[in-house]
Amino acid sequence: MKYASQRVAYWYFVCAMVLFGVQILAGGLAGTVYVLPNTLAELMPFNIIRMIHTNALIVWLLMGFFGCAYYLIPEEAEREIESPFLAYLQLVLLMVGALAAVIGYTQGIHGGREFLEQPLWIKIAIVVVALIFLYNVSMTVLKGRRTAVTSVLLLGLWGIAVFWLFAFYAPDNLSLDKVYWWYIVHLWVEGVWELVMAAVLAFLLIKLTGVDREVIEKWLYSIVGLALFSGLLGTGHHYYWIGAPGYWQWVGSIFSALEVAPFFAMVVFAFTMVFRGRKDHPNRAAVLWSLGCTVGAFFGAGVWGFLHTLSFVNYYTHGTQLTAAHGHLAFYGAYVMLNLALISYAMPYLRGKAPYHQTLNIVSFWLMSGAMTVMTFALTFAGAVQIHLQRVMGMSYMEVQDEIAPFYWVRLGSGVLVVIAALMFLWAVFGPVRERRRVARQDRAAALQAAE
Amino acid sequence: MSGPSEPHRPPVERFTKSAARNIFYGGSIFFFVVFVALTAHSHWYIVTTSTDEASMTASVIRGKHVWEKHSCINCHSILGEGAYFAPEVGNVWVRYGGRDDAGGAREGLIAWMEAQPTGIEGRRQMPQFHLTEQELNDLVDFLEWTSRIDTQGWPPNDAG
Ligand code: HEM
Ligand code: HEM
Ligand SMILES: [Fe+2]
């Protein structure tokens, strides 16, 4: 840690990990209701559990992004954060809002547009949080050294805030409502979030491999270019069947198929840099998560996205368990893994220790990624059977669900493994580190801080 | 590339960082403008052609709010979007035979909602939302209106 104010990132990561826990516990509960449907049916119906699962996911990913920004911007801009106080204030507001929302959901206080269930006052609080954040990071960047990493990161973060404003526009006409709903959902994950992802990844690769910044930043601009050129018009893959004009079947199919390109480029980028650079970075777990996140995103978003993105395929797959399979691997592979990569990298510096608990962290990587892969395959097979029976043969929805029940048991089993892996990860980054080891490695840590 | 006669000149980078940056900003603005223009056209198409704005009555709009207030979307899907825990409702009106027998479909849907939860062991449970007579009818109006959106022929069959 070169700048004292980077310390705020530590608390962002702590809060993000708390909500990560809430998210996967709610996921586990939702998975249980799928196989044992009477579970809690009266106390907490499935819709409430699911809302907590998806909202906690999105909020903790954003909180993680904020933490990433507060960690890396001082090093890039070569100055302290404009106002650490505002950074803490922003965190408290966001965390209180998030917990209040979760408690409110259990009491039936919520809206009814998927992912945007937050009551109005929480939506407004999110805007306030975003304004504080954007002021704080933008001032830090403007007054300091400008790099491609911070330019792309800031553009992504501003984009997140701007598209969020569509949360306040809910037309009465259902088709219009859907058109603009995707301005948030799609333009986030397949647009501006990709900018954040590429920028954080570029920062990690600069630090972990020592490859020349010029080279990395040229890659960065190329990747985010590919992302927006394909992803903006790629929104069309959600406009096929909601009342929008037929031309979206062409526009959406062609451009969203191209969305695979930036994710593929990220894989090539990360592996090339690691191969070219020095191979002895002591934080092996951070290197693994960084590489893994590009592969996870490529499969989850790229391959599983492409699987159902062409309009004549989507006609049959739209809104089935295949969509859930893709949603899980894409969110996990791209954004969960990215956050865990930066947390793995930053925590030793934030705690002033040499990289620790490497083996445990690496085991949690393989267990979590393996379990998410099993979950994805279980849902993909469930989706394939569902598509055949329901969409092709015309069998009724509930009958089909009985046929695919075994896959839901597999999903639950893999979900439990994800929870275990997450606990291992938490121990690996937050768990106590024995002093003896620290002394033994102190020189190495000092050398590392100097070389960084 | 530099030949042996000019040994000290660095190799010429054809694709520089600033070229990549300019392509990124220029291209993104271009595609964003195209996207917004197409959305504007789609907006116009939806209100004039694919949905029936004229029959979007106060009760249809209230029905949409009932749908949202109880977050039905987090179990069901509507036009294929939402959760995958319960059946598609974009065409539930059609599935209940509403095109041929509107009165029967309305009664059937209301009776269904009032009968929840079934409490049957091992069957997914839909909650009881304690809707008023008016809310129930508004909801049915909303579902009926939704079933008439021109969705380019989706879903493939009545199963949704
Ligand atoms: C990291 C990036 C991505 C994430 C996090 C992501 C996530 C999701 C999620 C959660 C949904 C379900 C939305 C809903 O509730 O209705 C979805 C739908 C979809 N995604 Fe992605 N996605 C990503 C990238 C991609 C890419 C690159 C493609 C195409 C190549 C793609 C194609 C699709 C399609 C076609 C649907 C609609 C599925 C349906 O018709 O039911 N996605 N995505
Ligand atoms: C880090 C890991 C996870 C991520 C990123 C994640 C992400 C998501 C997302 C994006 C959705 C919405 C899907 C859509 O609308 O298409 C979802 C729904 C769901 N998730 Fe997860 N999830 C994770 C872990 C889990 C776990 C461990 C379980 C437990 C088995 C689980 C069970 C579910 C269930 C049952 C749903 C509802 C599916 C439906 O609508 O029918 N998830 N999750
Ligand atoms: Fe999308």
Side-chain angles (χ1 to χ4, degrees), chain A residues 182 185-187 189-190 234-235 237-238 259 326:
Chain A
W182 285 111
V185 180
H186 173 98
L187 290 182
V189 300
E190 291 159 69
T235 316
H237 64 187
H238 305 293
E259 283 182 41
H326 158 68

Side-chain angles (χ1 to χ4, degrees), chain A residues 88-318:
Chain A
Y88 284 119
L89 178 71
Q90 178 209 341
L91 178 64
V92 170
L93 276 177
L94 186 58
M95 192 65 182
V96 169
L99 294 176
V102 169
I103 293 167
Y105 291 172
T106 64
Q107 305 306 311
I109 303 167
H110 52 68
R113 295 163 85 208
E114 194 191 3
F115 306 137
L116 306 182
E117 295 89 353
Q118 312 80 26
L120 184 64
W121 69 270
I122 293 201
K123 288 200 175 83
I124 295 171
I126 292 175
V127 173
V128 174
V129 164
L131 287 175
I132 297 176
F133 173 71
L134 290 174
Y135 166 79
N136 216 359
V137 291
S138 303
M139 291 310 282
T140 312
V141 167
L142 286 178
K143 291 187 188 165
R145 180 179 69 146
R146 306 276 283 276
T147 68
V149 171
T150 52
S151 303
V152 172
L153 182 65
L154 273 195
L155 187 64
L157 294 166
W158 274 93
I160 291 176
V162 168
F163 290 117
W164 172 252
L165 297 179
F166 284 90
F168 296 95
Y169 179 53
D172 291 330
N173 183 315
L174 182 68
S175 294
L176 283 185
D177 177 345
K178 285 174 176 287
V179 164
Y180 295 103
W181 181 81
W182 285 111
Y183 262 60
I184 311 172
V185 180
H186 173 98
L187 290 182
W188 268 20
V189 300
E190 291 159 69
V192 288
W193 283 31
E194 276 184 66
L195 305 197
V196 174
M197 175 178 178
V200 173
L201 197 60
F203 172 81
L204 279 168
L205 290 172
I206 290 171
K207 299 291 172 176
L208 291 170
T209 70
V211 170
D212 186 36
R213 177 181 284 274
E214 280 298 305
V215 177
I216 290 195
E217 294 193 331
K218 185 163 71 177
W219 272 93
L220 174 58
Y221 278 124
S222 311
I223 288 170
V224 293
L226 287 174
L228 290 191
F229 299 173
S230 61
L232 288 166
L233 288 174
T235 316
H237 64 187
H238 305 293
Y239 291 171
Y240 299 153
W241 327 116
I242 62 169
Y247 55 71
W248 285 111
Q249 292 181 36
W250 286 98
V251 177
S253 296
I254 292 168
F255 282 90
S256 68
L258 295 173
E259 283 182 41
V260 183
F263 289 106
F264 184 67
M266 279 196 250
V267 177
V268 177
F269 171 48
F271 278 84
T272 313
M273 294 306 119
V274 168
F275 184 72
R276 250 205 240 170
R278 67 175 165 158
K279 298 183 183 55
D280 58 347
H281 197 284
N283 197 333
R284 288 171 298 131
V287 178
L288 184 62
W289 281 107
S290 305
L291 290 174
C293 125
T294 65
V295 175
F298 172 68
F299 279 100
V303 177
W304 257 260
F306 181 74
L307 214 57
H308 58 165
T309 209
L310 301 175
S311 64
F312 53 87
V313 178
N314 192 262
Y315 183 67
Y316 294 99
T317 63
H318 183 46

Side-chain angles (χ1 to χ4, degrees), chain A residues 34 38 50 110 112 117 171 173 177-178 180 182-183 217-218 243 247-248 315 318 390-391 397 401, chain B residues 15 17 39 41-43 50-51 53 64 68-70 74 78-79 81 84-85 122 124 153-154 157 160:
Chain A
Y34 250 97
N38 305 79
R50 185 183 194 271
H110 52 68
E117 295 89 353
N173 183 315
D177 177 345
K178 285 174 176 287
Y180 295 103
W182 285 111
Y183 262 60
E217 294 193 331
K218 185 163 71 177
Y247 55 71
W248 285 111
Y315 183 67
H318 183 46
Q390 185 183 324
R391 293 287 161 76
Y397 174 91
Q401 291 300 309
Chain B
F15 183 59
K17 184 172 109 184
T39 314
H41 173 264
S42 301
H43 188 126
S50 66
T51 68
E53 282 252 322
K64 182 167 184 272
E68 286 169 1
K69 180 172 172 214
H70 298 285
N74 272 302
I78 188 163
L79 303 186
E81 291 164 9
Y84 319 109
F85 184 72
R124 294 186 193 166
W154 193 89
N157 57 52

Side-chain angles (χ1 to χ4, degrees), chain B residues 66-143:
Chain B
V66 176
W67 164 265
E68 286 169 1
K69 180 172 172 214
H70 298 285
S71 197
C72 312
I73 193 89
N74 272 302
C75 286
H76 294 275
S77 57
I78 188 163
L79 303 186
E81 291 164 9
Y84 319 109
F85 184 72
E88 162 71 23
V89 297
N91 69 338
V92 71
W93 178 257
V94 178
R95 214 162 38 239
Y96 272 61
R99 278 184 184 158
D100 303 318
D101 175 11
R106 180 173 297 269
E107 273 172 37
L109 282 165
I110 290 179
W112 166 266
M113 289 186 260
E114 286 184 323
Q116 305 307 315
T118 61
I120 299 172
E121 194 58 39
R123 188 184 165 90
R124 294 186 193 166
Q125 298 295 310
M126 173 161 145
Q128 174 53 252
F129 294 108
H130 305 289
L131 303 180
T132 64
E133 195 70 19
Q134 171 166 33
E135 286 174 320
L136 286 164
N137 277 295
D138 291 343
L139 204 41
V140 173
D141 288 339
F142 168 64
L143 294 174

